[in-house]
Amino acid sequence: RRGELEYLQAPLLEQCGNVIHAFSTRKGGCSEGALASLNTAFHTGDEHGRVWENRRRFLEPWGFRPEDVVAAIQVHGVGIREAGAADRGRGAMPRSFLGEGDALMTAEPSLPLTGYAADCLLLFLVAPDVPAVALAHAGWRGTLQNMAGRVAAELQRRYGADPAAMLAAISPGICGRCYTVDGSVAGQFIEAGWDGRPYLWRSSGDAFHLE
């Protein structure tokens, strides 16, 4: 907590000393109504000035500026984009995004990567030996297509990172008790070997819980 701002961090990444990271909550912003209060996404219909101010409040405690953030257009896929120094600010304003992709990675120091999730997960990966970092969005489609493994492999391919030395953290997301899918989605997970608790269990009829 910093003033009214509340956020979450993974102790593993916080203690490694190679990366600054945080997962925002709804608290500490200036948006109102259904978007109250720390809405950081332009595509929600919120006033752009409020989104900008919310981003400023969230970023400045760590020494970053809202005009520096990098973001991609998340499409529930497994596309991975590399961000470099020239991409600083690609995501700071609407229509400035770094194209479509659900994962960002960089070895550029002090380049803030951003991602957005509610029910879905954000995956924070750190390769301390390079050093390099990655931030990936993974819903059920990304999870089924091994988003985490793909990003780890790409960190190794692009930067020579050692997979055994990588650190990873998972953001909050919807729990299996609340998240149900139909038989067609469940069937894909069963075929991939994600069958039975704690990953998948039948609720009733054609409904399954997916953790």
Side-chain angles (χ1 to χ4, degrees):
R1 179 194 295 269
R2 300 193 182 194
E4 295 183 358
L5 180 68
E6 294 186 13
Y7 56 91
L8 302 171
Q9 291 181 305
L12 178 68
L13 303 190
E14 186 182 11
Q15 294 166 12
C16 81
N18 287 77
V19 63
I20 297 171
H21 79 290
F23 184 89
S24 65
T25 67
R26 295 182 67 111
K27 298 181 180 180
C30 64
S31 295
E32 300 176 348
L35 298 173
S37 67
L38 192 73
N39 172 47
T40 60
F42 287 113
H43 66 273
T44 56
D46 202 356
E47 293 181 13
H48 286 183
R50 288 177 175 170
V51 175
W52 185 268
E53 172 61 14
N54 289 338
R55 290 185 173 194
R56 185 195 66 77
R57 293 185 187 187
F58 183 62
L59 292 165
E60 283 194 350
W62 288 277
F64 297 115
R65 306 180 305 167
E67 54 264 40
D68 290 337
V69 301
V70 178
I73 300 173
Q74 298 171 181
V75 294
H76 292 275
V78 288
I80 302 171
R81 289 187 169 271
E82 182 178 22
D87 299 309
R88 187 177 296 274
R90 297 285 304 276
M93 294 296 293
R95 296 178 294 279
S96 68
F97 297 95
L98 193 64
E100 292 186 352
D102 281 78
L104 295 169
M105 60 177 51
T106 190
E108 179 68 24
S110 300
L111 185 66
L113 307 181
T114 59
Y116 302 87
D119 292 352
C120 300
L121 299 173
L122 290 179
L123 311 176
F124 297 78
L125 279 82
V126 179
D129 56 322
V130 176
V133 297
L135 181 61
H137 163 260
W140 72 260
R141 293 174 180 84
T143 300
L144 187 63
Q145 297 180 72
N146 190 28
M147 174 60 97
R150 288 171 182 261
V151 173
E154 197 66 6
L155 283 168
Q156 181 182 31
R157 186 186 74 82
R158 296 197 186 202
Y159 307 125
D162 179 7
M166 292 181 191
L167 306 175
I170 301 175
S171 77
I174 193 169
C175 70
R177 289 175 298 173
C178 300
Y179 187 51
T180 58
V181 297
D182 62 23
S184 63
V185 173
Q188 296 178 61
F189 278 89
I190 293 171
E191 185 177 349
W194 298 74
D195 188 10
R197 292 179 181 269
Y199 310 114
L200 181 73
W201 65 95
R202 186 184 293 274
S203 173
S204 61
D206 192 45
F208 292 78
H209 289 276
L210 183 61
E211 184 68 60

